[in-house]
Amino acid sequence: MKNETIVILSSRELDKMRKAGRLAAELLHHLEPMVKPGVSTLQLNDEAERWTQAHGAKSAPLGYHGFPKSICTSVNEVVCHGIPNAKQILKEGDIINIDVTLIVDGYHGDTSKTFFVGTPSPTAKKLVEVTHECLCRGIAEVKPGARIGNIGAAIQEYAESEGFSVVRDFVGHGVSNIFHTAPEIPHYGTRGKGKLLRAGMVFTIEPMINLGTWEVEVLSDKWTAVTRDRKLTAQFEHTLAVTENGVEILTMLDAES
């Protein structure tokens, strides 16, 4: 991440971030009924692109540093940046993280969710539930005057207490009219360490939690990151704004609040 300057967004910019974040949340909600056995990840991608264009937005991942598709579809042992393709057909018992980022009026809404394909195994169910709780615990640490390290510490403490591990190689990030910017938000760390949070900062929290080792490797396509031991992994992500009193989740639908 080249730009180390943390930008404080104006109220006008925050309004734009709210619109982008809401539309991204609506896209994930739209795709959810398609997540079932027999559907290819390319079908999910193509429907996401169609829906995005129909709503007057742009898919931020498409062409970003050469990424070839509109969304990331990360199945089972894929930690992140899975590339949708026609040959990857969802099967009963799979888990899939769908990561979407929309550009609306120049600003980015970035969110992801791990879905069950049919009925999950008890192990997969627990992993996904713990990962979602990790996101919630990270978000609960966000308020003016807190340290970035508090976020990672809360996530790491809970994940490891449940017997899982936290990916180190990928982190949350600042987001605005730039897709990835400062600050970096690690999902592990130490309380009281890291930069101070200030009202007007906007960033993602997106913990990737693994069943086995935290270590990952990137495949030959230079995008797809998988767990080194090929065990299951899950992820959830929201885009957040630090407010005067705490935190606002920009990528949550009203029904989820």
Side-chain angles (χ1 to χ4, degrees), residues 67 72-83 97 99 112 167 169-171 206 208 210 216-219 221-227 233-235 237:
F67 190 79
C72 297
T73 50
S74 302
V75 180
N76 294 335
E77 75 278 5
V78 178
V79 175
C80 59
H81 305 155
I83 301 172
N97 177 271
D99 192 338
S112 85
V167 170
D169 300 59
F170 302 98
V171 297
E206 46 186 293
M208 290 152 255
N210 295 351
V216 308
E217 60 184 64
V218 177
L219 301 184
D221 62 22
K222 297 183 179 178
W223 283 106
T224 307
V226 299
T227 54
T233 179
Q235 181 189 18
E237 174 183 17

Side-chain angles (χ1 to χ4, degrees), residues 96 178 231:
I96 177 174
I178 302 170
K231 291 184 178 179

Side-chain angles (χ1 to χ4, degrees), residues 170-191:
F170 302 98
V171 297
H173 55 89
V175 60
S176 55
N177 59 340
I178 302 170
F179 194 172
H180 296 93
T181 186
E184 291 190 347
I185 309 293
H187 304 112
Y188 60 95
T190 306
R191 291 184 182 277

